[in-house]
Amino acid sequence: MAELAARASTWWAIFQINFYEKLVYRGDFMLGTLMRFLPIVTQIFLWSAIFSARGGGNSSGEEIVGYTYYNIVAYYLLSTVSRAFSSMPGLASGIALQIRDGEIKKYLVQPLDLISFFLLNRIAHKLTYYIVAAVPFAIVFFVCRGYFNGWPPAQVLCAYVFSLILSFMLGFFMEATIGMIGFWFLEVRSLLFVYMLFTFFLSGHMFPLDMLNELGGPWSTIVKSLPLMYLAYFPAAVFLEKITGAELMWGLIAQVGWVLFFIVASRLAFHYGVKQYSAYGG
């Protein structure tokens, strides 16, 4: 019990240090949040033109694959929130760089778990970000409140918050696993580029993934079998009640499964990576 208390005290101290360190960048967080919503303006004009063309100059009342113009705008706003939870800028590249430069050995000789240390760092980062960015988020959603049909039922809201937390965990452990590949390949920028490219298109950042149902064939099934859809599309679709009932339950179970898969993958990559890692010098 004393050992567990000592370990919890250590993790709490690490979290506090990271939290106060991130607060230094509060101005950057606030400006970055406002800039994050700017690309949505382009999407609003684009989809307004599409719906207007379909409705002969009137965008209201038209539907495309079950989405009205207001649903589409609400989806893009919500997917931005999802991405704010699941995106891990610099995590994988930072881990790979520390492996390549040998900086990682300072963690290996200390009595702490490296992955847990990085996780606490990211939790502190996200917590600081949302404390600072709460005002910009509130302003944007208040201005755009007309695009929403109101708050979903309490159980849907709980499922939405749960899926957001899982999207954070999934994003962290996916990028940590990619970063650990640096133990075998010192340069992972090309791999990261491919990952970011696929994430941009297949996470639902560009469009709601259920629009692929209209294509026919296996495309929709393939895309929805990947973990990337849980980074942006799934939480937004849950909030908009596009996914309900048994489909929602199985979706959350699948999301938990992917999180567990990448927790194990990152642990294995770290375990076997350290075994063949060599560092020299002071």
Side-chain angles (χ1 to χ4, degrees), residues 167-184:
S167 71
F168 163 77
M169 299 291 288
L170 181 60
F172 174 82
F173 284 105
M174 282 178 71
E175 290 224 14
T177 303
I178 295 173
M180 296 298 172
I181 294 175
F183 281 114
W184 290 270

Side-chain angles (χ1 to χ4, degrees), residues 10-11 22 29 33 65 135 164 167-168 203 221 228 274 278:
T10 302
W11 294 132
K22 302 302 178 187
F29 284 158
T33 301
V65 201
V135 173
L164 280 180
S167 71
F168 163 77
S203 68
T221 303
L228 299 178
V274 169
S278 298

Side-chain angles (χ1 to χ4, degrees), residues 99-238:
I99 294 171
R100 187 179 64 191
D101 293 347
E103 190 181 345
I104 200 168
K105 64 179 181 291
K106 72 181 181 186
Y107 299 108
L108 300 181
V109 297
Q110 294 180 19
L112 57 81
D113 177 62
L114 182 65
I115 296 177
S116 298
F117 176 80
F118 285 140
L119 179 60
L120 283 172
N121 183 288
R122 284 291 156 169
I123 291 174
H125 175 95
K126 292 294 182 184
L127 186 60
T128 311
Y129 173 81
Y130 277 104
I131 290 174
V132 175
V135 173
F137 267 107
I139 292 173
V140 170
F141 276 83
F142 178 77
V143 171
C144 299
R145 64 190 184 283
Y147 293 107
F148 292 86
N149 296 323
W151 290 98
Q155 66 273 20
V156 174
L157 201 56
C158 290
Y160 171 65
V161 173
F162 186 52
S163 68
L164 280 180
I165 295 171
L166 289 175
S167 71
F168 163 77
M169 299 291 288
L170 181 60
F172 174 82
F173 284 105
M174 282 178 71
E175 290 224 14
T177 303
I178 295 173
M180 296 298 172
I181 294 175
F183 281 114
W184 290 270
F185 304 96
L186 294 181
E187 185 56 77
V188 299
R189 277 184 294 188
S190 298
L191 182 62
L192 266 177
F193 176 77
V194 173
Y195 168 74
M196 296 304 296
L197 185 67
F198 277 99
T199 300
F200 189 71
F201 286 104
L202 303 181
S203 68
H205 189 73
M206 285 290 291
F207 57 88
L209 294 180
D210 48 359
M211 286 186 168
L212 294 174
N213 296 338
E214 295 296 306
L215 289 179
W219 299 111
S220 177
T221 303
I222 292 173
V223 171
K224 290 183 179 179
S225 299
L226 300 174
L228 299 178
M229 65 170 279
Y230 297 101
L231 299 177
Y233 165 75
F234 185 74
V238 169

Side-chain angles (χ1 to χ4, degrees), residues 57-111:
N58 184 12
S59 60
S60 62
E62 291 295 322
E63 282 194 8
I64 298 178
V65 201
Y67 284 86
T68 65
Y69 169 63
Y70 289 85
N71 290 153
I72 286 288
V73 176
Y75 173 81
Y76 280 114
L77 290 169
L78 291 167
S79 65
T80 301
V81 176
S82 306
R83 290 294 298 148
F85 269 80
S86 61
S87 65
M88 301 289 157
L91 176 61
S93 59
I95 293 174
L97 183 63
Q98 290 188 28
I99 294 171
R100 187 179 64 191
D101 293 347
E103 190 181 345
I104 200 168
K105 64 179 181 291
K106 72 181 181 186
Y107 299 108
L108 300 181
V109 297
Q110 294 180 19

Side-chain angles (χ1 to χ4, degrees), residues 32-53:
T33 301
L34 287 174
M35 294 301 106
R36 187 185 288 269
F37 284 102
L38 282 184
I40 293 179
V41 176
T42 306
Q43 298 286 351
I44 290 174
F45 283 120
L46 172 65
W47 283 99
S48 175
I50 293 173
F51 276 92
S52 294

